[in-house]
Amino acid sequence: MSQQIFDVVVIGGGPGGYVAAIRAAQLGLRTALVEREHLGGICLNWGCIPTKALLRSAEIYEHIRHAGEFGLQVQGASFDLAKIVGRSRQVAAQLNAGVRHLLKKNKVAVFKGSGRLAGPNTIRLQQKDGVSELHASHIILATGARARAVAPVEPDGRLVWSYREAMTPDRMPKSLLVVGSGAIGIEFASFYRSLGAEVTVMEARDRILPVEDADVSTFARQAFERQGMKLLTSATVVSLRKESNGVTAVIDAQGARTEIRAERVIAAVGIVGNVEDLGLEGTGVRVENTHIVTDAWCRTGEPSVYAIGDVAGAPWLAHKASHEGMLCVERIAGVEGIHPLDKTRIPGCIYSRPQIASIGLTEERARECGHEVKVGRFSFKGNGKAIALGEPEGFIKTLFDARTGELLGAHMIGAEVTELIQGLSIGKSLETTEAELMHTMFPHPTLSEMLHESTLAAYGRAIHS
């Protein structure tokens, strides 16, 4: 059996794994990456990136349909679903090739195959042409996660879709039932609704987008319902009856039974970590609820074994995985001045219509933590750029500690908030208070001015509301 020796071996080539490998190589460590399927992982190939391409097509279609509001005339607007899907796949393929180039540029050894722990500092590598061993001083597990299958809505690839089938439909369903109202479910609901499908979204919790601030959830529900979505909360699927080209779902919604018929169902009820067949048995690596337990430096209970990204638990976000990858290898390399992961500084984005973005504590959670909270809120209707864009619906909400002025959290819904959130992400990283934000000059006319106004509003000083 052939053997090769490295300083770092990363198992998994998603946004956590490939970033960790590149950063390790930049720091002078002999680095290998093992990936069994697609470089870039689910995010680049079947998640974050291709879904944004789909949503961009839907957004442009929406703009065309409302062109008259801007003094423009467009007749006979239609869409070609095959071309929309084809563009999405092309975008993913382009970026996949880009990741391969970056790994080659940084001299990372890439192995296509499956890796599993096979003793201290040892990985058993299974490839098409046989089995070999990789030895490494440090092993990073970045194997990601997959969609959770929950009865009776287990994906079957035909009538009940996972995210993969939802991204590559061969025809446009006239009606759709989305089970789960988190980021994945809501983004697909927005895409298909924009293209004309009758969409019903159901959520087991008592409100949609249950991890978001309650004010955002309420506003989002109103916006989605105005678009024609049907939203059911405190609802579960009791049974599914599959037919030749559709499904009838028996739903228990707030204690009442009802039936919903849809051509297709999208299951979006969470994810489970890919912890199987990693050789964790007999090691110090601990798994809880399908995710590997780590400390603030991404270390597991097994010496020299680390875990990053989705397999290491929530929040399941690509940028969190990439940050953990860099943090992990910089710790390994002894880089000075790095800090452990602070999850309150991880922004979250949902690319629905309207967009949603957040960082830090919700108002409810901030009060539960004992903070006396100052709350600022500013509406898109008071912003000149939003009105000029024809996007006056939405708001920005900021939370500050009344005693210290610490920025505790921010919650946004409206046009381009997935870009705006980064301003307050930087603010949290710099440990900013309301004073710095109040004295920052925001350019006019921009949507970013609402960050300033929302801060001012928390202290009774808003100008335009």
Side-chain angles (χ1 to χ4, degrees), residues 60-269:
I60 292 173
Y61 186 58
E62 284 283 357
H63 288 323
I64 292 171
R65 291 175 58 214
H66 295 90
E69 298 172 12
F70 297 86
L72 305 174
Q73 294 183 2
V74 178
Q75 296 178 347
S78 62
F79 61 87
D80 185 324
L81 184 61
K83 288 185 177 180
I84 290 174
V85 172
R87 177 179 179 273
S88 171
R89 301 316 307 152
Q90 189 278 326
V91 167
Q94 178 181 338
L95 292 174
N96 174 276
V99 170
R100 186 175 300 278
H101 167 74
L102 290 172
L103 290 164
K104 182 178 180 181
K105 174 184 175 182
N106 286 278
K107 298 180 173 57
V108 175
V110 177
F111 298 92
K112 185 169 184 178
S114 299
R116 57 177 287 136
L117 302 180
N121 304 104
T122 303
I123 293 171
R124 182 180 178 89
L125 175 63
Q126 178 70 57
Q127 294 179 287
K128 281 186 176 180
D129 56 357
V131 178
S132 59
E133 283 188 354
L134 306 178
H135 293 268
S137 302
H138 306 276
I139 298 169
I140 301 174
L141 305 176
T143 50
R146 63 187 183 277
R148 183 185 298 275
V150 177
V153 289
E154 302 99 325
D156 61 14
R158 191 176 72 87
L159 297 174
V160 182
W161 290 347
S162 70
Y163 58 86
R164 292 206 180 203
E165 293 82 30
M167 266 188 280
T168 57
D170 57 1
R171 57 180 291 275
M172 185 69 187
K174 294 180 180 179
S175 55
L176 188 68
L177 172 63
V178 180
V179 183
S181 74
I184 295 173
I186 288 297
E187 287 184 359
F188 279 126
S190 279
F191 171 72
Y192 282 99
R193 181 64 195 134
S194 289
L195 296 186
E198 294 297 322
V199 176
T200 300
V201 180
M202 54 174 294
E203 167 60 47
R205 304 274 289 276
D206 62 356
R207 60 185 175 94
I208 65 167
L209 300 164
V211 303
E212 300 297 330
D213 187 87
D215 287 346
V216 168
S217 292
T218 299
F219 190 98
R221 177 167 195 144
Q222 294 168 351
F224 296 149
E225 288 179 336
R226 283 195 298 270
Q227 295 167 19
M229 285 190 206
K230 298 176 183 178
L231 304 171
L232 301 175
T233 52
S234 301
T236 57
V237 179
V238 178
S239 64
L240 282 182
R241 186 169 67 251
K242 297 181 180 180
E243 300 152 11
S244 59
N245 189 36
V247 171
T248 298
V250 177
I251 309 294
D252 186 322
Q254 300 181 14
R257 291 286 176 97
T258 186
E259 288 192 355
I260 296 177
R261 191 187 185 283
E263 287 192 3
R264 297 294 183 269
V265 175
I266 295 178
V269 290

Side-chain angles (χ1 to χ4, degrees), residues 286-339:
R286 186 159 56 93
V287 176
E288 289 184 358
N289 297 321
T290 79
H291 293 91
I292 294 174
V293 177
T294 62
D295 67 9
W297 299 102
C298 306
R299 295 176 297 199
T300 72
E302 179 71 14
S304 302
V305 177
Y306 309 78
I308 61 174
D310 287 357
V311 76
W316 300 285
L317 300 167
H319 45 280
K320 175 254 194 184
S322 297
H323 183 86
E324 285 180 323
M326 290 188 287
L327 169 70
C328 180
V329 297
E330 288 178 359
R331 178 76 170 184
I332 288 170
V335 174
E336 295 183 358
I338 59 174
H339 301 280

